Amino acid sequence: MRVTEIWNEKSAPTISFELFPAKTEKAADSLDRTINTLCDLKPDFVSVTFGAGGSTREGSYQLVKELKQEKGLEVVAYFACYGLSPEDIVAVLDSYQALGIESILAVRGDKPHDEDFIPHPDSLTHASDLVSFIQPRYEFCIGVAGYPEGHIEAASVEKDLDYLKQKVDKGAEFIITNYFYDNQFFFNFIDRCQAVGIDVPILAGVMPIYSVKMMEMLASLCGATITQDVWNGINILDKEDKQGLLDFGIEYAVSQCIDLLNHGVRGIHFYTMDRSKSTAAIVNSLRNEGLL
């Protein structure tokens, strides 16, 4: 099923989870447990990331296949085009199409950390180029990423919105946003999108707090603002109280989600970091409140 069909058929907001392929045997065992727990939550769909420069190409394919064919889940397969040849792009998209995948999240992707990586001279430069490449060749439902606070490389939030509008004009049918800790960033983003005529479903990205180190690292990479409310909640905790931090992260995310749902968000997309306890606690809390 194309994910847009879910919103056409379902009046309630959707719940979805992001996963990424494991890199070690230990991580694979943990991922299996995570998948089993998240499957029990009956998400509307899950997404699978695609590593920079195709670094997780095989692992992403295998995870997409498992989730689609063995777990029976709707899967949105990320595809990052940076550095790849047109032939590689076609090969990956053909492989997903053969699995029965109907929805793709088209992103540019980051430059690989491997200093020896040489991008193909004919690789696509922007996510909008990837949307243009996919749209006439395949029948995928194409989604793209949105940045409520602006992409970290964009000259301004206005310029970043121009790029997003280009992606939608070229065929993108839904948007999944980067995570944020202040919902006002998301609400302002929705207003700006509506003002320029972006009228596709926009899903709010939510990232539970797993550790201070991870929170700071990811925020520095994607430009998410760690708000004073977040720091106030963290600073009253004992630095060694890992469970207390997880509980605070759950409580904070539940509060965010309640506010988003009360404002009519089309769906919430959880960045799980291949963990399940926090996300499961948040979703179950929302369902206990009758919000999902």
Side-chain angles (χ1 to χ4, degrees), residues 31-265:
L31 178 57
D32 285 341
R33 293 191 295 272
T34 292
I35 290 171
N36 289 333
T37 299
L38 295 182
C39 281
D40 288 342
L41 296 174
K42 300 188 183 306
D44 294 284
F45 67 89
V46 294
S47 67
V48 175
T49 63
F50 188 90
S55 57
T56 66
R57 176 172 170 173
E58 181 59 28
S60 295
Y61 173 85
Q62 292 299 332
L63 182 54
V64 167
K65 182 178 180 180
E66 175 188 353
L67 294 169
K68 177 69 174 178
Q69 297 187 348
E70 296 179 23
K71 301 299 183 181
L73 297 172
E74 291 296 334
V75 181
V76 173
Y78 276 60
F79 185 66
C81 63
Y82 180 86
L84 301 182
S85 69
E87 292 77 16
D88 283 335
I89 293 173
V90 167
V92 172
L93 293 174
D94 283 353
S95 70
Y96 286 151
Q97 182 175 253
L99 287 178
I101 298 302
E102 297 184 67
S103 302
I104 293 285
L105 193 80
V107 299
R108 182 200 67 182
D110 298 321
K111 183 177 180 180
H113 296 302
D114 182 0
E115 295 181 357
D116 295 327
F117 180 84
I118 300 175
H120 192 278
D122 295 325
S123 66
L124 303 178
T125 307
H126 304 290
S128 58
D129 299 326
L130 180 57
V131 174
S132 295
F133 185 93
I134 295 173
Q135 204 277 332
R137 294 174 171 84
Y138 297 89
E139 296 184 358
F140 290 124
C141 176
I142 305 171
V144 293
Y147 298 87
E149 299 179 65
H151 192 282
I152 196 167
E153 296 178 12
S156 65
V157 292
E158 292 78 16
K159 192 63 178 176
D160 189 51
L161 191 65
D162 288 343
Y163 295 140
L164 181 60
K165 182 66 162 57
Q166 289 178 32
K167 291 185 279 189
V168 172
D169 288 345
K170 290 180 178 183
E173 298 180 62
F174 67 97
I175 297 166
I176 298 178
T177 76
N178 187 41
Y179 71 93
F180 45 88
Y181 292 116
D182 184 341
N183 285 359
Q184 196 58 50
F185 287 126
F186 180 78
F187 299 141
N188 292 344
F189 175 69
I190 293 292
D191 289 343
R192 294 198 306 273
C193 286
Q194 292 175 344
V196 298
I198 296 174
D199 59 359
V200 300
I202 300 176
L203 309 189
V206 170
M207 170 85 79
I209 298 169
Y210 301 109
S211 74
V212 173
K213 181 179 179 180
M214 181 187 293
M215 178 185 71
E216 291 181 314
M217 183 269 291
L218 293 175
S220 69
L221 291 175
C222 71
T225 298
I226 303 174
T227 64
Q228 191 59 49
D229 283 347
V230 170
W231 282 122
N232 289 343
I234 291 172
N235 289 336
I236 63 175
L237 299 171
D238 187 306
K239 291 185 179 180
E240 302 303 318
D241 186 2
K242 294 182 180 179
Q243 186 59 51
L245 179 65
L246 289 175
D247 291 341
F248 167 71
I250 291 167
E251 179 182 352
Y252 193 92
V254 167
S255 177
Q256 273 195 284
C257 292
I258 290 173
D259 187 37
L260 290 166
L261 292 166
N262 285 336
H263 279 82
V265 69

